[in-house]
Amino acid sequence: MSVPPPWLVGTVTRLADVLAKLRRRIVPRRFGVIELGTMSWVALSLAAFCELGLPDALAKGTRTPDDLAAHGYGDRDRLFRLLRALAAYDVVKHVGGNRFALAHLGKALIGKDSASPLIRYANTPWHGAAYANLVAGVRENRPGFEIAQGMPMFSYFEKDPSAGAIFDAAMQSLTPLFAPAFAVAYDFSRMRRVVDVGGGTGALLAAVLTRFPNLRGTVFDLPSVVQRVQVTERLDAIEGNILATPPPPADAYIFSHVLHDWDDASCERMLQNVRTAMPEHSRVLVYEIIAPPPNNWWTQDRITDLEMLAMLPGRERTREEFAALFERAGLRLGRIIPTGAPESILEAAVP
């Protein structure tokens, strides 16, 4: 697994932020804020690019709008205008002769680790409706999604499985960005069994098991989710709802990108259920972004906390907020382990 060292992630993030701020200071202020306010136009156009199947169409070489139109991708003129616009954002590039090819960012939209599912999720009408209700959500202290749809997001996915599948695919597309970093950062060599609470399809756990061949793992998740786990000799799945039932005994319990979806009361209930099941030597490993104190730098929590505001009752939490959650659940925060991803590992144990 090729994972950058934690210091490099922080350095690159800070450098990119400096350059972005410099650009915003160079362009006229009015232009800069209008550009910021119309970023959704580009995002929706990128989603259309994916929905039309254009990344795969351009994956094997250059194509003209006429060629794409002849093969059923859409109207020739509108295809040309869409491609011409996205060439300004390094998604495609114009190579001459009215031909286009995938550019640097466009190549991230093909293959098994394609970011296309996340682009599709972020630009669905029901996702956009949550942000359209952000004003009401801030005033009423509710997720914009619940105002728009009249129900929580996960309840909506039960009602509309196709929307749930889009969400699941988006979350799975993010796994290559953080799973290897988690597996490299934490030492499981002295453990025999680990449970991934809310572990989805088991991709994170599979990365851990690959690195530690003596370890066995269990995904603990809802019945509709565990059906999609690729069970192996060392990886199994158990149905359960962590809000209501304790998981099986293990040496470690992973919560990867779970707690930030939920309010404090729900998080405490989950952690208490784990506390009930865990042996005294066991550890709870929360793998999430730790929000820094207020500052003027861009960090990953800034954008993901906006997502929580719009979609879910949860939030990105500070170190102090995590420590308080653990304490109320009968646990104590110990180490915080940085990784080669924006997320850190918070290790908690029985006091």
Side-chain angles (χ1 to χ4, degrees):
M1 299 178 185
S2 178
V3 176
W7 67 265
L8 182 59
V9 175
T11 301
V12 171
T13 299
R14 182 62 59 90
L15 177 60
D17 189 40
V18 169
L19 294 174
K21 282 183 169 63
L22 178 61
R23 181 183 183 277
R24 287 196 292 270
R25 294 299 177 93
I26 292 174
V27 301
R29 181 185 304 162
R30 185 176 178 83
F31 177 86
V33 75
I34 290 174
E35 183 181 52
L36 189 64
T38 56
M39 288 173 63
S40 62
W41 299 358
V42 179
L44 288 164
S45 298
L46 182 61
F49 178 75
C50 295
E51 194 72 25
L52 289 165
L54 294 173
D56 288 336
L58 297 173
K60 295 182 180 179
T62 62
R63 306 281 292 270
T64 65
D66 297 89
D67 178 36
L68 292 169
H71 286 84
Y73 288 96
D75 174 76
R76 179 264 169 211
D77 181 62
R78 289 181 178 270
L79 284 166
F80 169 74
R81 291 161 62 191
L82 178 63
L83 294 171
R84 179 180 62 182
L86 292 178
Y89 296 94
D90 213 17
V91 176
V92 298
K93 57 184 176 182
H94 183 252
V95 295
N98 213 25
R99 303 185 72 82
F100 292 86
L102 287 180
H104 178 66
L105 295 184
K107 291 176 182 177
L109 300 172
I110 57 175
K112 65 181 183 65
D113 293 333
S114 169
S116 181
L118 182 65
I119 305 302
R120 184 184 179 200
Y121 157 75
N123 294 282
T124 58
W126 44 265
H127 189 274
Y131 280 84
N133 283 275
L134 192 57
V135 171
V138 170
R139 288 174 173 162
E140 300 175 22
N141 190 25
R142 297 171 60 197
F145 188 95
E146 292 186 14
I147 296 171
Q149 307 299 339
M151 66 186 75
M153 187 180 79
F154 292 120
S155 298
Y156 180 83
F157 290 160
E158 291 179 5
K159 180 182 176 182
D160 185 350
S162 64
I166 291 173
F167 174 80
D168 288 346
M171 297 304 101
Q172 193 164 349
S173 74
L174 288 172
T175 303
L177 299 178
F178 61 80
F182 177 85
V184 168
Y186 195 83
D187 184 8
F188 290 92
S189 60
R190 297 184 180 181
M191 298 182 180
R192 299 182 62 187
R193 179 168 294 278
V194 60
V195 170
D196 192 351
V197 179
T201 60
L204 176 70
L205 203 48
V208 172
L209 298 183
T210 298
R211 185 168 174 80
F212 297 93
N214 295 325
L215 191 67
R216 292 181 176 273
T218 298
V219 172
F220 184 77
D221 212 323
L222 298 173
S224 59
V225 178
V226 298
Q227 295 174 3
R228 300 194 297 276
V229 176
Q230 296 293 319
V231 175
T232 68
E233 183 180 349
R234 295 167 51 222
L235 174 61
D236 60 14
I238 295 179
E239 298 178 359
N241 182 348
I242 191 58
L243 286 166
T245 56
D251 299 305
Y253 297 87
I254 301 169
F255 283 88
S256 174
H257 304 87
V258 172
L259 299 186
H260 75 165
D261 288 346
W262 299 90
D263 58 30
D264 284 358
S266 299
C267 291
E268 290 167 31
R269 200 180 320 147
M270 295 182 211
L271 292 169
Q272 286 167 352
N273 280 330
V274 169
R275 173 67 182 88
T276 299
M278 63 190 292
E280 292 298 310
H281 70 276
S282 186
R283 296 290 184 267
V284 174
L285 307 175
V286 173
Y287 188 39
E288 291 200 5
I289 294 169
I290 301 176
N295 60 62
N296 297 317
W297 294 105
W298 186 92
T299 47
Q300 187 68 45
D301 65 286
R302 301 303 192 243
I303 187 68
T304 52
D305 201 39
L306 288 178
E307 180 75 351
M308 298 302 111
L309 272 176
M311 304 298 290
L312 291 158
R315 62 190 303 127
E316 301 295 0
R317 295 179 171 87
T318 64
R319 180 195 183 283
E320 292 73 22
E321 289 169 331
F322 275 117
L325 274 184
F326 289 137
E327 184 176 354
R328 292 194 295 269
L331 299 166
R332 182 182 66 243
L333 175 61
R335 296 185 295 162
I336 296 180
I337 304 167
T339 73
E343 296 83 355
S344 296
I345 302 171
L346 299 100
E347 182 187 59
V350 177

